[in-house]
Amino acid sequence: MQHVSACRHINMTACPDVSEIRRGSGGSRHAFALVRDVAAQEVDASTSRQLRRAVDFLAAVRFMVEARFQPHAGRTTLRLAEVFATRMARSKDGHFPFSAEATARMLGLKRRAVFNHARYLRELGLIAYVEHGSKRNVLRSRYGANWRKEHGYRATATLFAAVAPRVWDEAMGRRIRGHGYGAQMVGVTPAGRILAVAGAQDRRRQRADDQPRRPVDNSRPCTPSVGVPQPHTSGAVDGGIKDRTRERACREKKHRGKGSTNWSAARAAAAMQEARFVRLHTWWTQGSCVRQLAYALRPCFEAGWTWEEIARELARWTVPLRPRHVASYVTSEIRRRVNTGQLYLPDGLVAPYRQPETSTWDNGATPHSPRYAAMQALKARTYRPAAARAAAALTKTRRLVTPQQEPAQKRPAPESRIPGAHPENVLLTRQEIASLIKHSPPIPAGETLWAHAEEATENRLNTERRHSTWEYNPPAPPEPR
């Protein structure tokens, strides 16, 4: 068996002697027996305590592997533990999933090798089962009778918990309260304190060695924060006028910043004064920044609007709540209303929305047509019957729509029975009205109309009376011979 000196971060003067550790020896305080029973490898039955940090898990794995408690564990076991340690960060409880296929691809091993070294970690009491994986399709169980092939297949993964055996805690000089997975570390022994200090010093030296060392630049006489004081002078450096007024100094400046809007300071001040009146007469703009509001209303000022007209326009917007940023809302709303035709401003003051190019997919005038043609060709190869039916329907639809697009031919006006009448006109001439009266029957009116109505009523009553009464007529006697 190897000595505990195989662990580099352990101080040999404070570490207990475990050279006589043997598997299954119950008389020694540091005795350890491999966990062969599968039932004892569960979280509920494990004698190892829970670990949440990947650093502690890797330290425990190195100690158990280098102490040769499991003869078959080695460098590959350490590599597998490093993969598990990277997955521990995803869970606050130190749990991590285990996939034999993904782990084998990551380490370049066979699935059987991955299963073997995972078994070595379980036997050393370094990992315990939280949930056993299954190849059963959980989606089929979830959907039940509604499961379809489109839902796919999904199995459950095995979940492990990172744990530490009691022998590692005793070797590190840690005081443990409790037993099993829920045990907690409550302190350290004097030997454990020495080990912890030595380990911290080693980690600090390792971090210092990992940092790249850069040479110090001593070419400059002083640090950049130190500057040589210069004497103050009011004269120009180039020997110009000594006392220049602010107005003249502003006129002499020819440089204009990038992105400037060509607004002078006086014009911007006037716009801010107008914006103050707008803010005073519009409730939802009160409390906003005058400078930002004036900048947002510049399209209206460019169009020549006064503050009264701007205030009336803002009052029409019917804003229900006060916007969080008034200037941004005004800018976006002006642009939206101008592009939708609700607000009319001169062209060029508001940037238009970029309209996507419209295409009917029937010609090659747009850059999207070749892609659409390629997609239709792929659909024709993949779904040939459906594509044929769609093409036939499209041809039929175009045949029906094409005649309707042609201009309708003018039909000749129908001939009128009245000579000289014009049906397309609203009014008739006197000659047409006289001809219409001449060829039309007279219209009954007055007494004639009432006489016709009474005659029609009498005829109707006689007909109803004749059909509603019945009179018995005896048969006539036979004629004498």
Side-chain angles (χ1 to χ4, degrees):
M1 298 295 178
Q2 290 186 1
H3 199 269
V4 183
S5 60
C7 288
R8 294 167 298 186
H9 60 279
I10 298 177
N11 188 355
M12 294 305 303
T13 60
C15 181
D17 186 10
V18 293
S19 59
E20 299 299 329
I21 293 178
R22 295 293 183 271
R23 177 170 52 87
S25 58
S28 176
R29 185 168 63 91
H30 302 289
F32 178 77
L34 294 178
V35 185
R36 302 283 188 180
D37 188 8
V38 179
Q41 298 175 0
E42 302 287 340
V43 170
D44 300 336
S46 177
T47 58
S48 303
R49 70 179 180 91
Q50 180 186 13
L51 293 180
R52 289 185 173 89
R53 297 197 311 164
V55 177
D56 298 338
F57 174 66
L58 291 178
V61 172
R62 292 192 187 98
F63 173 81
M64 298 299 292
V65 171
E66 294 174 357
R68 302 297 294 173
F69 290 116
Q70 170 56 264
H72 301 288
R75 177 57 188 165
T76 306
T77 310
L78 293 176
R79 292 177 57 197
L80 180 62
E82 291 174 357
V83 174
F84 291 163
T86 57
R87 300 176 184 175
M88 287 178 59
R90 305 175 186 175
S91 173
K92 62 182 180 63
D93 298 325
H95 299 170
F96 53 88
F98 173 68
S99 174
E101 291 79 4
T103 308
R105 289 193 303 268
M106 187 180 302
L107 298 177
L109 302 174
K110 299 291 185 181
R111 294 178 70 255
R112 178 51 55 189
V114 173
F115 282 125
N116 289 337
H117 289 279
R119 177 169 56 86
Y120 300 156
L121 293 176
R122 294 199 310 270
E123 292 178 354
L124 290 173
L126 296 170
I127 59 176
Y129 280 109
V130 178
E131 181 179 349
H132 290 269
S134 174
K135 290 294 183 180
R136 185 177 180 182
N137 189 359
V138 296
L139 296 180
R140 184 184 289 270
S141 302
R142 180 186 303 174
Y143 291 101
N146 298 327
W147 182 84
R148 299 293 182 271
K149 292 183 179 180
E150 292 78 9
H151 295 154
Y153 167 81
R154 185 182 302 171
T156 55
T158 300
L159 293 181
F160 281 121
V163 292
R166 180 62 66 92
V167 64
W168 178 68
D169 290 326
E170 293 177 353
M172 296 295 105
R174 297 174 178 176
R175 294 190 178 96
I176 305 300
R177 177 184 298 173
H179 180 75
Y181 184 74
Q184 297 180 356
M185 186 183 70
V186 295
V188 293
T189 61
R193 185 175 295 106
I194 296 176
L195 290 176
V197 172
Q201 293 176 353
D202 292 342
R203 288 192 295 271
R204 185 177 62 181
R205 284 193 297 268
Q206 185 177 3
R207 286 196 298 267
D209 295 340
D210 294 339
Q211 293 179 356
R213 296 181 179 179
R214 300 178 180 177
V216 179
D217 185 12
N218 295 325
S219 59
R220 301 187 61 178
C222 57
T223 60
S225 60
V226 178
V228 180
Q230 300 291 337
H232 177 72
T233 176
S234 60
V237 179
D238 54 355
I241 302 174
K242 177 180 178 181
D243 298 326
R244 295 180 301 173
T245 61
R246 183 177 299 275
E247 182 180 358
R248 184 169 182 178
C250 293
R251 287 201 306 266
E252 291 178 359
K253 291 182 179 180
K254 301 298 182 181
H255 175 70
R256 185 175 294 277
K258 183 179 179 181
S260 177
T261 56
N262 298 327
W263 275 50
S264 62
R267 190 179 182 187
M272 292 175 58
Q273 186 66 23
E274 296 285 324
R276 285 190 180 91
F277 290 105
V278 173
R279 187 180 64 173
L280 182 63
H281 290 78
T282 308
W283 69 269
W284 54 268
T285 60
Q286 296 173 3
S288 61
C289 178
V290 178
R291 186 182 299 274
Q292 295 178 358
L293 182 61
Y295 187 84
L297 294 174
R298 279 191 179 185
C300 299
F301 293 140
E302 290 276 7
W305 289 22
T306 61
W307 70 266
E308 295 92 344
E309 296 173 346
I310 296 176
R312 284 196 296 268
E313 177 62 28
L314 297 184
R316 297 191 190 99
W317 291 1
T318 61
V319 180
L321 298 175
R322 188 188 304 273
R324 179 175 298 180
H325 197 280
V326 176
S328 300
Y329 174 75
V330 170
T331 301
S332 61
E333 188 67 11
I334 288 177
R335 186 182 183 189
R336 186 188 69 83
R337 288 177 176 269
V338 169
N339 285 276
T340 56
Q342 303 178 18
L343 181 63
Y344 297 98
L345 293 177
D347 296 338
L349 298 181
V350 179
Y353 291 135
R354 292 190 302 173
Q355 300 294 338
E357 192 172 5
T358 305
S359 175
T360 57
W361 310 107
D362 297 333
N363 50 18
T366 60
H368 306 287
S369 296
R371 178 176 176 271
Y372 182 78
M375 183 180 64
Q376 290 293 343
L378 177 61
K379 290 174 61 177
R381 292 192 303 268
T382 308
Y383 312 101
R384 193 174 300 275
R389 290 194 298 269
L394 181 60
T395 304
K396 183 178 179 181
T397 304
R398 287 177 176 174
R399 191 186 311 112
L400 296 176
V401 172
T402 301
Q404 298 180 3
Q405 296 178 352
E406 297 179 356
Q409 298 179 358
K410 295 183 178 181
R411 299 179 181 179
E415 297 181 358
S416 178
R417 297 181 181 180
I418 304 176
H422 302 281
E424 63 273 10
N425 297 334
V426 179
L427 300 178
L428 300 179
T429 61
R430 293 182 177 273
Q431 294 79 7
E432 293 172 347
I433 294 176
S435 176
L436 183 62
I437 294 175
K438 181 179 179 181
H439 295 84
S440 299
I443 299 176
E447 297 180 357
T448 306
L449 181 60
W450 284 108
H452 291 174
E454 291 178 356
E455 183 179 359
T457 301
E458 185 177 358
N459 293 336
R460 181 174 58 80
L461 294 176
N462 293 336
T463 303
E464 292 179 358
R465 189 181 301 109
R466 185 171 58 254
H467 288 285
S468 60
T469 57
W470 179 77
E471 182 180 358
Y472 176 75
N473 296 322
E479 298 180 354
R481 295 185 179 181

